[in-house]
Amino acid sequence: MTRCYCFRTVLVVLVCVLNVLGQTPAGNVLSTDSLISIPVTVKNQNGVPVVGLDAANFSLSEGGQNRALESAQEVGPVAVGKMNDKVLFLVLDAISMMGQLVPPGTREECLQLLASATTKGVRISLSELDRDGLHVIHEVSVPSSRLASSLLQLDDDQHFLVDRDQLQAMQTAAVEKALLAAETDRLRSFRRGAVDGFKGGASDIFLMQLKAFQEMAGVLRRAQGRKTVIWLTGYFPVDVTAREDGIVLVGSRIGHDPGFALIPESIDYQRTVNLLNDAHISIFLIQLEVVFGRQASQTRFGLEQFAQSTGGEVLFFDAPEKLLKHVEDLTTSYYLLAFRPETIRTGIRWKSLKVRLNEQSLRAMSPSGLYVIAPTK
C-alpha cells in the first residue's frame, strides 16, 4: 500500500520546487518589540473586494488606544500554472473527532469535490491530519487525466461519483501506470480512513492542530500570494477570549469561573497565528456535524476567533458544488497591516483590535484581538 505523502515533502511542488524546510521558522511573536501583521479584507457595499489601498486608508486601535501603522501590504491570491489558476487547499482534520470516526460520507464528499473541481478546471490540494501528522493525499501538480482515472477506479470499487461521464472524457492513454497506481492507492486509503479515531485528550488535539498549522506555514511561506485553506474539523477545544490572561479548554468552566488559563498553549496559539499571517495563509473553517452536542456548539466561537485571526471565516459545508461556486469569493486579495503592539512587562494579555477605514462605504473584516506576550528575558 502506498503511504500518503508527508505534507512537507509534497507541497514544495507548488512553491516552485523549493527546498523543504528542516523546521518551522522562528516566529516574531515572543517579543512585543517585534512588528506584528494582522489580516484585513476590505469589501464595498456590493460585497466586492477592494484593491489598491494603502496605510493612509486605514486606522487601528489596540485596547482602545490608537496605534501607528508601519505598512499596509496588499497580497493577491496564489496562482499556479501557465493560466495562473487559483488554488484551494482542503484539509480533513480527522484527529478532532475525539476518538470517533469521521462522519459517514465526509471522505466521499471530499473526493467528489476533487472530481467536480477537476472537471471545472479548479485546482484543489487534499490533505489529512491524522494521529501520524499531516499528510498530502492529492497535490495540485497531478495532471487532471491521472486524477480522473484514479477517481474512476475508486468509483468502480463502490459507486459515489455524480460526474463519471465528464471524468471519462478527461482520461488519456498516456497515463504512467506506476504514478496512476500510487495516486489511486492514496485516494483509496483516504476513502477507507483509519480503523479507529485519535485517543488523545482535548489539549493533545489542540497542540497537534497547532503543529499542523505551523508545518503548513513553514512549507508555504515562500510561495507568493495569499493561500486559502479549507479546514474541515469536528472540534476546536479552546475558548480564546474567555479570560484575558490566556486560552482555556472548552468544558473547563466551573460556575462563573471560565477555567484555568493555559499559558504555554496561549503563546503557541498566538505564535501559530502570526506564522500563518507571515506565510499569507487564511484558514476557512468548516465544522463537521458530529455527535458532540453542546460541546460542538461551544467550540464554534473559538473557531470563529481563530479563522478571523488569519483573514478567514467559518463556512458551512452543504455540498461540494456549493464550495466550488465560492472559489472566487475565497481566493481574493487581502491586506496585512503591520504595527507594534503595546509592551507588557510580564505574562500574556488579550488585547482587542479595531480596524477602521477612512471611506465609510467600505467594510473591513479583521481580527477582534490578539495575545500580547511579554518579551523573554
Side-chain angles (χ1 to χ4, degrees):
M1 181 180 296
T2 304
R3 182 72 172 111
C4 298
Y5 294 141
C6 170
F7 191 82
R8 285 183 181 275
T9 60
V10 174
L11 288 187
V12 290
V13 176
L14 178 66
V15 294
C16 305
V17 200
L18 298 171
N19 292 327
V20 178
L21 302 178
Q23 51 184 280
T24 303
N28 60 9
V29 304
L30 297 184
S31 170
T32 50
D33 293 332
S34 300
L35 204 60
I36 301 297
S37 294
I38 61 168
V40 180
T41 301
V42 181
K43 295 184 178 182
N44 63 19
Q45 293 175 324
N46 297 320
V48 178
V50 176
V51 299
L53 303 180
D54 58 28
N57 297 106
F58 299 90
S59 61
L60 171 70
S61 63
E62 174 205 346
Q65 301 296 317
N66 292 332
R67 289 283 174 264
L69 292 177
E70 300 207 6
S71 65
Q73 178 189 7
E74 183 178 343
V75 182
V78 67
V80 299
K82 295 180 179 179
M83 302 301 293
N84 289 326
D85 298 324
K86 292 183 177 181
V87 177
L88 288 179
F89 297 87
L90 182 67
V91 181
L92 176 62
D93 180 3
I95 67 164
S96 65
M97 304 304 158
M98 292 290 285
Q100 304 176 60
L101 300 180
V102 174
T106 300
R107 294 180 180 278
E108 288 188 350
E109 286 183 356
C110 291
L111 294 173
Q112 177 59 57
L113 176 58
L114 284 183
S116 299
T118 195
T119 61
K120 291 176 171 56
V122 178
R123 297 189 183 231
I124 294 183
S125 166
L126 174 63
S127 302
E128 179 174 9
L129 174 60
D130 61 21
R131 56 192 174 187
D132 296 321
L134 188 61
H135 310 283
V136 171
I137 310 300
H138 168 74
E139 55 173 313
V140 294
S141 63
V142 172
S144 298
S145 58
R146 189 193 309 163
L147 174 60
S149 296
S150 294
L151 289 169
L152 287 168
Q153 289 189 31
L154 265 66
D155 196 54
D156 290 337
D157 296 342
Q158 184 175 351
H159 177 66
F160 72 99
L161 292 173
V162 298
D163 37 18
R164 184 179 176 90
D165 292 342
Q166 294 96 314
L167 291 173
Q168 287 177 328
M170 298 177 66
Q171 292 187 103
T172 64
V175 177
E176 209 281 325
K177 291 184 178 180
L179 295 176
L180 174 60
E183 177 79 2
T184 305
D185 282 350
R186 286 191 296 274
L187 296 178
R188 185 175 284 126
S189 296
F190 173 81
R191 184 185 192 183
R192 182 168 53 247
V195 295
D196 56 3
F198 179 70
K199 295 300 193 298
S203 180
D204 299 319
I205 290 174
F206 180 59
L207 291 176
M208 285 194 68
Q209 289 170 324
L210 293 185
K211 181 180 179 182
F213 287 124
Q214 292 169 8
E215 185 175 4
M216 185 181 298
V219 173
L220 294 180
R221 62 191 292 264
R222 292 171 62 187
Q224 298 298 314
R226 181 191 188 188
K227 279 73 72 175
T228 298
V229 174
I230 310 297
W231 192 274
L232 306 179
T233 186
Y235 189 60
F236 195 67
V238 297
D239 189 331
V240 179
T241 60
R243 299 177 60 112
E244 290 186 351
D245 57 347
I247 60 176
V248 299
L249 290 177
V250 170
S252 64
R253 179 182 295 273
I254 302 175
H256 295 291
D257 187 345
F260 295 104
L262 305 174
I263 303 304
E265 289 84 350
S266 301
I267 294 174
D268 204 21
Y269 171 89
Q270 188 61 50
R271 176 174 182 266
T272 302
V273 168
N274 283 23
L275 287 171
L276 289 170
N277 288 333
D278 288 346
H280 303 163
I281 296 174
S282 292
I283 307 296
F284 290 80
L285 287 155
I286 298 173
Q287 189 169 27
L288 299 173
E289 291 299 325
V290 292
V291 291
F292 296 134
R294 184 181 176 189
Q295 273 197 326
S297 62
Q298 286 177 336
T299 67
R300 192 155 296 163
F301 182 69
L303 287 170
E304 292 173 351
Q305 289 290 318
F306 180 67
Q308 291 173 3
S309 294
T310 67
E313 58 184 289
V314 175
L315 305 174
F316 297 94
F317 190 76
D318 295 326
E321 292 295 331
K322 291 287 184 69
L323 187 56
L324 286 180
K325 289 179 181 178
H326 289 85
V327 168
E328 290 299 320
D329 297 330
L330 299 174
T331 54
T332 62
S333 298
Y334 74 159
Y335 297 88
L336 289 172
L337 307 186
F339 74 106
R340 297 184 187 276
E342 179 187 19
T343 300
I344 61 174
R345 294 183 178 180
T346 59
I348 179 172
R349 184 69 57 185
W350 176 263
K351 293 294 188 71
S352 63
L353 295 174
K354 181 66 176 179
V355 174
R356 294 181 175 84
L357 290 158
N358 295 342
E359 176 56 58
Q360 294 184 354
S361 64
L362 302 181
R363 180 167 60 98
M365 290 166 286
S366 60
S368 63
L370 82 167
Y371 282 113
V372 175
I373 303 163
T376 55
K377 296 180 180 180

